[in-house]
Amino acid sequence: MKSITSRDNPQYKELKLIATSSQARRKAGRTLLDGVHLCEAYLQHLGQPELCIVSDATTDDFEVSQLLSQCEQKNVRCISLPEALYQAISQVENGVGIMFLIATPEPVLPNTISETSVALDNLQDPGNLGSILRSAAAAGVKNVFCSPGTAFAWSPKVMRAGMGAHFLLNIFENIDLEEVLSKSNIPVLATSSHTTKTIYQADLSQAVVWLFGHEGQGVSDNLMAKATHTVTIPQQAAIESLNVAASAAICFFEQVRQQLK
């Protein structure tokens, strides 16, 4: 395992740039997985990382040493950093000192949409995006299509909120949602306050595409026109609307409930 002790080391500079700049992550096609849980999930579902980074202060930690051993057995390059250098690139407060550098997955866009999927129109909050990904994975959704303007799915905040869900999904970014929805041979459902049909009255026994939009503005008019059905989630009149991540979870698991009948 190589030890890096200087902030001027070229590899360290590259890691710090990826850790702190969304633009750098997108340009490099790489991101950092920070913490034991994400690293374990990646090894379990996707394989080996490009690089394993550990803090000198935690190399004796049992969970870290187990992951480090797995990486070394797979001939993954491993480096150690002094705690101060490690913390300068870590996005997790009081985290356990291990990170993976990985290539951002780029799945092949399907020709037709025939299995339950999610389309996200200009969803901007990383926490909301991560929560939706986590709920989608738990509900057995396979594909997530993100429009330009949607938060970068592989940013540290989104990945922390997703808790490993990323590795169970096909995530497509900077996608023309109008084109994708035109390829759907299954119903496209959007939530709306301007309809009387509730989510519980909709037939969700088949695969569908769920369409969710910007936290404040909702789904754009041109995309709403692509929806084959609109549904509402019943709630108390005193509350104007639900958080988009909460709405998505309700929709996903109502579909799960109907399909378990």
Side-chain angles (χ1 to χ4, degrees):
M1 182 167 59
K2 180 181 177 181
S3 176
I4 293 177
T5 58
S6 171
R7 297 179 186 274
D8 295 324
N9 178 279
Q11 186 169 40
Y12 179 77
K13 285 183 175 181
E14 181 183 5
L15 290 173
K16 189 170 183 180
L17 191 61
I18 290 173
T20 57
S21 168
S22 178
Q23 183 178 1
R25 287 189 289 271
R26 290 177 184 267
K27 184 177 179 180
R30 287 171 173 76
T31 193
L32 288 167
L33 308 182
D34 199 335
V36 168
H37 179 80
L38 286 177
C39 292
E40 284 180 338
Y42 188 84
L43 284 175
Q44 179 181 353
H45 297 294
L46 291 187
Q48 60 194 58
E50 291 188 7
L51 180 69
C52 175
I53 306 120
V54 296
S55 165
D56 286 348
T58 55
T59 51
D60 292 334
D61 179 272
F62 177 75
E63 291 180 309
V64 171
S65 62
Q66 288 288 98
L67 287 169
L68 188 57
S69 175
Q70 290 182 56
C71 287
E72 289 175 337
Q73 289 173 16
K74 297 175 183 290
N75 295 317
V76 174
R77 291 187 301 127
C78 302
I79 63 170
S80 66
L81 300 174
E83 179 68 2
L85 266 64
Y86 183 91
Q87 290 302 327
I89 62 174
S90 175
Q91 304 291 307
V92 179
E93 290 186 19
N94 304 315
V96 179
I98 187 166
M99 280 185 273
F100 284 174
L101 176 69
I102 67 163
T104 305
E106 295 183 357
V108 177
L109 196 66
N111 292 324
T112 59
I113 312 301
S114 57
E115 55 186 353
T116 294
S117 304
V118 181
L120 301 175
D121 176 27
N122 203 28
L123 194 79
Q124 296 189 336
D125 183 79
N128 281 336
L129 177 55
S131 294
I132 289 174
L133 296 179
R134 188 175 182 182
S135 295
V141 174
K142 297 301 181 186
N143 299 317
V144 179
F145 303 100
C146 302
S147 74
T150 294
F152 183 45
W154 296 92
S155 72
K157 288 183 179 179
V158 177
M159 287 192 294
R160 286 201 299 276
M163 291 292 288
H166 289 67
F167 314 135
L168 300 173
L169 298 164
N170 297 318
I171 301 173
F172 304 89
E173 298 194 279
N174 296 313
I175 296 299
D176 183 337
L177 295 186
E178 287 191 65
E179 182 179 344
V180 163
L181 295 180
S182 296
K183 296 178 180 179
S184 177
N185 56 14
I186 55 178
V188 177
L189 273 71
T191 57
S192 171
S193 59
H194 304 297
T195 185
T196 57
K197 186 174 185 178
T198 74
I199 186 68
Y200 309 112
Q201 295 169 326
D203 180 7
L204 303 176
S205 59
Q206 61 181 313
V208 304
V209 178
W210 294 105
L211 175 59
F212 301 104
H214 182 276
E215 287 85 352
Q217 301 163 7
V219 176
S220 63
D221 292 341
N222 58 326
L223 285 175
M224 187 63 82
K226 294 287 186 181
T228 55
H229 302 78
T230 57
V231 294
T232 188
I233 299 173
Q235 62 187 68
Q236 295 294 321
I239 300 297
E240 181 180 351
S241 63
L242 289 174
N243 170 277
V244 64
S247 297
I250 291 168
C251 293
F252 298 157
F253 287 98
E254 173 58 17
Q255 184 179 21
V256 169
R257 186 193 69 81
Q258 290 191 23
Q259 292 181 350
L260 286 177
K261 284 183 178 181

